[in-house]
Amino acid sequence: MVIGRLRSDDIYNQVSAYPLPEHRSTALANQAAMLYVILYFEPSILHTHQAKMREIVDKYFPDNWVISIYMGITVNLVDAWEPYKAAKTALNNTLDLSNVREQASRYATVSERVHAQVQQFLKEGYLREEMVLDNIPKLLNCLRDCNVAIRWLMLHTADSACDPNNKRFRQIKDQILTDSRYNPRILFQLLLDTAQFEFILKEMFKQMLSEKQTKWEHYKKEGSERMTELADVFSGVKPLTRVEKNENLQAWFREISKQILSLNYDDSTAAGRKTVQLIQALEEVQEFHQLESNLQVCQFLADTRKFLHQMIRTINIKEEVLITMQIVGDLSFPRSAQRVAVLFWRVGILCEKSFANHSRKHVYISSKDHKASDSRHY
């Protein structure tokens, strides 16, 4: 029953974080590792059940054969399933050199494309709040592509994934290194840039989530006040250049003001739908009542629409985005991830030492200059 559930269901609910078909094997990687271990408790499937093994390979291992079963512990299925006839046969399609070439070339192209995107995102002033809120799907897709490419390249190019004494292993490894245009420095730089990109996005979303309701209520208040002011303008109470009294428009703008105030933060779906309708209504009233001729009235309407758009952006800030980033940014897969962690730790220590030496040197020089000035004074 356990094997049946692992074969058919998404028991870790990871697919929602990886909606694209090309990321499916990454989404199911944790489940695939569990299935790999449990299959050893039912070795007859590995030996003789060719249909079941073909189904498992097609679903979990169509584009990968080096898997992580725990923190830094990796397994090469070419070696692990060598003694099992059904498993070995099922894996042959994945290990066909044309498929190996296709996967390696694809990840080479993806890594080059997303690295350029990430470097663009990391430019000073590029990741502004409005830009992030308008491009959440695009930013998350970039993060997914980065992490999936890093995962595949780190797992399938690792020395631990290849037995140098096995001719077939060497052939597959050489094919990957050639077709992926593998460069460890470039891959490491992509890892660093992706980590920085993830960190900035997470911090921005945490701050936006903490301020979400306050900002939403502020935008609602501002939009309502603009409509009230515009209603006063058309009532004749508040004079505005070349605006004639119009009781119909006065009543309409006052009603829009009430509609904006009635929006409920706790019912985000209904509030979002109603906000869109209000924006459309403001666009139509400007067109049908020929209000374009008065720049001040147009400015009131434009400001209100801007506040309503900000309300839509703000209401769409959801904690699910942070959860998705946490799932996608998992770096617990290869042994090399542990080496990366150690490297970061060493770099941090070197930076601290360098800063301490610089500070001591600065104090020493300042002290000498002070003594010299004292001697000249006397």
Side-chain angles (χ1 to χ4, degrees):
M1 186 180 76
V2 174
I3 292 177
R5 286 292 303 275
L6 286 169
R7 280 170 50 202
S8 59
D9 299 340
D10 175 25
I11 62 173
Y12 292 115
N13 297 318
Q14 301 281 294
V15 172
S16 59
Y18 293 94
L20 297 179
E22 55 266 32
H23 297 160
R24 193 55 48 87
S25 60
T26 304
L28 298 172
N30 291 334
Q31 193 165 323
M34 183 66 71
L35 183 58
Y36 163 79
V37 173
I38 290 179
L39 279 173
Y40 283 109
F41 292 90
E42 193 67 40
S44 61
I45 296 177
L46 292 166
H47 279 295
T48 59
H49 293 213
Q50 292 192 6
K52 287 184 179 179
M53 286 308 304
R54 181 63 186 269
E55 177 193 347
I56 289 170
V57 169
D58 287 348
K59 183 174 182 179
Y60 295 100
F61 311 112
D63 56 3
N64 67 102
W65 51 94
V66 181
I67 63 172
S68 170
I69 58 174
Y70 191 61
M71 296 281 290
I73 302 175
T74 56
V75 173
N76 191 324
L77 296 180
V78 182
D79 183 35
W81 283 353
E82 178 66 27
Y84 305 99
K85 184 178 179 182
K88 179 182 176 182
T89 303
L91 199 60
N92 281 337
N93 285 340
T94 301
L95 297 174
D96 185 76
L97 287 182
S98 62
N99 185 56
V100 174
R101 184 181 300 110
E102 179 185 345
Q103 301 305 326
S105 301
R106 177 163 71 89
Y107 283 109
T109 304
V110 169
S111 61
E112 290 174 3
R113 173 175 56 80
V114 296
H115 201 177
Q117 286 182 345
V118 170
Q119 288 176 331
Q120 177 68 25
F121 292 149
L122 290 177
K123 287 182 178 178
E124 187 71 29
Y126 192 89
L127 289 175
R128 304 179 311 279
E129 182 176 320
E130 287 189 12
M131 181 271 174
V132 170
L133 293 178
D134 287 339
N135 295 277
I136 291 174
K138 178 182 177 182
L139 297 173
L140 286 181
N141 282 337
C142 181
L143 271 184
R144 289 188 191 98
D145 286 336
C146 285
N147 281 282
V148 169
I150 290 170
R151 179 190 180 93
W152 195 92
L153 289 169
M154 290 183 78
L155 283 173
H156 291 80
T157 58
D159 293 336
S160 58
C162 176
D163 180 2
N165 298 319
N166 186 304
K167 182 179 178 181
R168 191 182 187 193
F169 283 6
R170 290 201 312 272
Q171 188 178 13
I172 293 173
K173 177 78 176 291
D174 292 343
Q175 187 81 48
I176 293 171
L177 294 176
T178 302
D179 292 323
S180 67
R181 302 187 287 278
Y182 177 69
N183 185 320
R185 287 184 178 227
I186 294 176
L187 181 59
F188 183 65
Q189 188 60 52
L190 174 60
L191 177 64
L192 293 178
D193 290 342
T194 303
Q196 186 181 359
F197 180 40
E198 282 180 7
F199 176 77
I200 292 171
L201 268 188
K202 282 181 181 179
E203 292 303 307
M204 288 183 71
F205 264 95
K206 285 177 184 176
Q207 183 175 355
M208 287 189 287
L209 275 171
S210 66
E211 301 171 349
K212 178 179 176 181
Q213 186 168 0
T214 305
K215 285 191 172 183
W216 192 85
E217 296 291 350
H218 167 72
Y219 296 139
K220 183 175 82 168
K221 180 172 175 281
E222 290 289 335
S224 176
E225 287 177 354
R226 291 294 193 284
M227 290 293 94
T228 302
E229 290 176 22
L230 206 49
D232 292 341
V233 166
F234 283 100
S235 70
V237 175
K238 181 179 286 189
L240 197 65
T241 308
R242 297 170 63 185
V243 175
E244 297 179 0
K245 182 177 178 179
N246 188 321
E247 292 181 357
N248 291 333
L249 285 176
Q250 174 197 353
W252 191 85
F253 283 124
R254 212 170 285 284
E255 178 62 25
I256 291 292
S257 176
K258 291 177 183 177
Q259 292 290 333
I260 294 174
L261 280 179
S262 70
L263 294 172
N264 186 4
Y265 174 82
D266 295 323
D267 190 359
S268 60
T269 304
R273 187 164 53 246
K274 194 170 182 180
T275 305
V276 171
Q277 292 171 353
L278 289 170
I279 291 171
Q280 292 173 345
L282 290 175
E283 290 173 348
E284 289 170 1
V285 76
Q286 181 172 330
E287 180 181 349
F288 294 150
H289 289 269
Q290 298 179 345
L291 301 177
E292 294 94 338
S293 58
N294 192 300
L295 295 178
Q296 291 168 303
V297 172
C298 286
Q299 188 61 48
F300 271 97
L301 292 171
D303 288 345
T304 306
R305 288 199 301 271
K306 183 186 77 172
F307 288 125
L308 292 173
H309 278 295
Q310 285 293 92
M311 289 172 68
I312 293 174
R313 290 191 185 102
T314 306
I315 207 72
N316 286 329
I317 302 171
K318 301 187 187 305
E319 193 175 1
E320 286 81 356
V321 176
L322 278 176
I323 295 171
T324 299
M325 282 194 277
Q326 187 66 33
I327 294 171
V328 168
D330 175 35
L331 193 66
S332 62
F333 43 91
R335 290 181 189 275
S336 47
Q338 295 176 345
R339 292 198 291 270
V340 168
V342 172
L343 178 60
F344 280 138
W345 176 70
R346 288 177 177 171
V347 168
I349 290 176
L350 288 174
C351 288
E352 288 178 4
K353 287 181 177 178
S354 174
F355 179 79
N357 290 337
H358 176 74
S359 299
R360 284 197 297 270
K361 184 178 179 182
H362 179 72
V363 170
Y364 175 70
I365 292 172
S366 299
S367 176
K368 284 178 65 178
D369 291 345
H370 182 66
K371 289 178 181 177
S373 65
D374 285 348
S375 63
R376 285 196 301 271
H377 177 72
Y378 288 111

